[in-house]
Amino acid sequence: RNSGAVATGGAAGAVSDEAVAELQLQTARKLRQLLSTNRDLLHLVQERNWIPLLLSWLQLHDRPSVQVEALWALTNIAGAGAEQHNSHLLLRHDAVPILVRLLSSPNEEVHEQALWILGSMAGEGAATRDTVLAAGVLRPLVGCLDRHSRSLSLQRIGSWALSNLADGQPRPVLDMHAVLPTLQRLLGSPDAE
């Protein structure tokens, strides 16, 4: 890096990394807000190809606030529509491995949002659950729960995600050796939820 500026071409000149980061954050936040209040925008999100862009922002590990907003927007996309699940939109863009990798992020809020999407996808049915399991979610999820054992919010979201991964017919094959110590700790928790 020379000056830390990114050339944008044309008369606009150069834009700093900070300006790009702020634009990404504001864009993801606005999209998240719009999708939370107007689920009919889903067709526009697809037409404008926003899902690949949001997924690319999840890989900006030095910008956890952008990651969180992008995750939240993706949560709204996956749950958009009248009584319908749209995880297939995320599956089409191979989101699951990206979401699983986020469980190794140093940011707890990134973990919570990624777990929320993965748990929601796993709860949609056996096929989606099996896709999430096949991406290797179990060990990173357990590791995340163990690293943040004092975070009630993360424990609740992670427990819910884990239960969705273990639920459904036909029953999934789970590595119980990986899950048992964490499951034992969760079952001994004083939290009623």
Side-chain angles (χ1 to χ4, degrees), residues 55-153:
L55 290 171
S56 74
W57 290 350
L58 296 183
Q59 299 177 60
L60 300 173
H61 303 292
D62 59 333
R63 299 180 188 158
S65 57
V66 172
Q67 288 178 311
V68 169
E69 292 293 339
L71 283 163
W72 207 342
L74 289 167
T75 299
N76 289 340
I77 290 167
E83 298 301 317
Q84 94 188 76
H85 301 286
N86 291 301
S87 289
H88 67 278
L89 298 173
L90 301 184
L91 291 172
R92 185 181 310 148
H93 294 285
D94 207 23
V96 175
I98 296 167
L99 295 167
V100 170
R101 280 193 299 275
L102 288 176
L103 298 181
S104 64
S105 165
N107 186 287
E108 186 176 327
E109 199 173 0
V110 168
H111 294 161
E112 285 187 12
Q113 292 298 322
L115 282 173
W116 188 266
I117 296 173
L118 290 164
S120 178
M121 292 175 79
E124 286 186 18
T128 309
R129 174 206 65 203
D130 292 346
T131 300
V132 174
L133 283 168
V137 72
L138 208 52
R139 288 189 185 272
L141 176 120
V142 166
C144 194
L145 284 167
D146 290 344
R147 277 191 313 279
H148 300 288
S149 61
R150 296 188 186 269
S151 170
L152 185 58
S153 176

Side-chain angles (χ1 to χ4, degrees), residues 127-185:
T128 309
R129 174 206 65 203
D130 292 346
T131 300
V132 174
L133 283 168
V137 72
L138 208 52
R139 288 189 185 272
L141 176 120
V142 166
C144 194
L145 284 167
D146 290 344
R147 277 191 313 279
H148 300 288
S149 61
R150 296 188 186 269
S151 170
L152 185 58
S153 176
L154 195 132
Q155 295 299 298
R156 287 178 175 172
I157 295 167
S159 298
W160 167 74
L162 190 56
S163 76
N164 282 350
L165 288 165
D167 198 16
Q169 295 295 328
R171 290 277 180 223
V173 177
L174 299 177
D175 179 1
M176 292 310 291
H177 293 291
V179 177
L180 227 46
T182 302
L183 192 55
Q184 183 178 11
R185 180 181 57 74

